[in-house]
Amino acid sequence: MRKHNFYAGPSTLPVPVLEELRDQMVEYKDMGMSLVETSHRSKEYDEVHNAALQGLREHLGVPDTHDVLLIGGGATLQFGMVPMNLLRAGEHADIIVSGSWSKKALSDLQTVASATVLFDGKDSGYTSLPAAVNPSSGAKYLHIASNETIGGVQWKDFPSTGDAPLVADMSSDILSRPIDVSSFGLIFAGAQKNLGPAGVTVVVIRKDLVASGRDDIPAYLQYRTHADKNSLYNTPPVFCIHALSLVMNWIRDQGGPAAIAKTNQDKAALLYTVLDENPQFFHCPVDPNVRSTMNAVFRLPNEDLEAEFVKGASAQGMVGLKGHRSVGGIRVSMYNALPRTSVEALCAYMKDFAARHGE
Ligand code: PMP
């Protein structure tokens, strides 16, 4: 029996995708071998590769002004690759530090160039976002994390940046809702939440930024290399890209990102309602205006109760609820593929747990 899987990533994938992968694992389309055993230059792989890129273009609504790239190395590599490509000596970028992931991005950015921190959520314990954003003079871009996976803080409307391109780490909420790609200079996202298994990172980048990017860094680190070779400069993570292409089909079957966004809103509302209706027992520290639909975080009255909560949930088949080791508490990850019934099961458990352990 499959568990109710609330892991933050790697995380639950659509069952039809897993079944299709299983069915194709030993022999892919009468080839006498699996897809992961054939050349990445084969006709069969080429079709899969292009279907993955096409599916991303379709669901994200990528205009002709932008390239879609598939790169290895995780979203973490992008923390370095973005500044290495977009900044030259003496140039700087702006960044909004809204939690652990933008903090990591800042740290890598500073190894390459200087950064102006426009907002740092440290004083509020990374539970809020700035109401207004004023780009610094001469900034080459502004970096944000559209959803902080650990802190549960999500941008609802993206900041306007004037002339500087907006760069967004969308690792944990890509394709969870429709977005206007034309308002971004660069978007990147590791696959292992809403796109597929870990191992590939999607980069959507404005073509003029590819063209003007630095060319005095190693080939693999230049966006130009991947754009020029249709993301086949070297051996791509073929299994992950195959799985991603199947997830794109699944998203189409669900009615696309607009329909998925409705379901995500609905799942998140169920969860946050239980928190709000039991304020003496559950405490969500995040500003209600920026609560994430993907990762809801909350505390119980003490750590012993939190440990008991996680243990009891696990006994009922609900896993992955322990908050990130850096912050503790409880975290409920509700990515696209998490069924509504899993959230319903968790909400019932939460109400029961509060009734049993509350005052
Ligand atoms: N950014 C965000 C928002 C993340 O959630 C993560 C991973 N959880 C990363 C970056 C790092 O991704 P990766 O492990 O693929 O390098």
Side-chain angles (χ1 to χ4, degrees), residues 74-76 79 101 147 149 169 171-172 192-193:
T76 301
F79 294 161
W101 292 109
N147 183 66
T149 322
D169 174 0
S171 294
S172 50
Q192 64 271 25
K193 288 106 164 60

Side-chain angles (χ1 to χ4, degrees), residues 164-284:
L166 182 59
V167 171
D169 174 0
M170 284 194 193
S171 294
S172 50
D173 67 352
I174 192 162
L175 288 179
S176 68
R177 53 180 169 170
I179 52 158
D180 174 12
V181 169
S182 68
S183 60
F184 294 87
L186 192 154
I187 293 167
F188 64 87
Q192 64 271 25
K193 288 106 164 60
N194 276 337
L195 302 177
V200 67
T201 296
V202 172
V203 175
V204 181
I205 178 170
R206 235 169 53 197
K207 287 178 179 167
D208 62 298
L209 297 176
V210 175
S212 63
R214 276 175 57 174
D215 56 9
D216 56 350
I217 52 177
Y220 191 85
L221 299 179
Q222 295 181 34
Y223 291 119
R224 164 184 307 102
T225 304
H226 303 281
D228 287 351
K229 300 285 187 214
N230 194 33
S231 302
L232 281 163
Y233 171 69
N234 69 332
T235 319
V238 293
F239 177 77
C240 307
I241 293 172
H242 180 207
L244 187 147
S245 78
L246 300 180
V247 172
M248 293 305 109
N249 296 344
W250 178 83
I251 290 178
R252 199 170 298 124
D253 293 343
Q254 306 310 299
I260 283 183
K262 268 179 89 178
T263 311
N264 286 337
Q265 286 290 351
D266 183 41
K267 290 187 293 186
L270 285 177
L271 200 278
Y272 286 116
T273 300
V274 176
L275 298 182
D276 290 342
E277 285 179 355
N278 296 275
Q280 69 295 8
F281 196 74
F282 298 117
H283 173 63
C284 174

Side-chain angles (χ1 to χ4, degrees), residues 41-63:
R41 309 284 173 199
S42 66
K43 173 173 81 48
E44 287 81 2
Y45 177 70
D46 209 51
E47 277 170 13
V48 166
H49 191 82
N50 288 322
L53 289 168
Q54 197 43 46
L56 286 163
R57 278 204 167 268
E58 174 190 333
H59 296 318
L60 286 165
V62 180

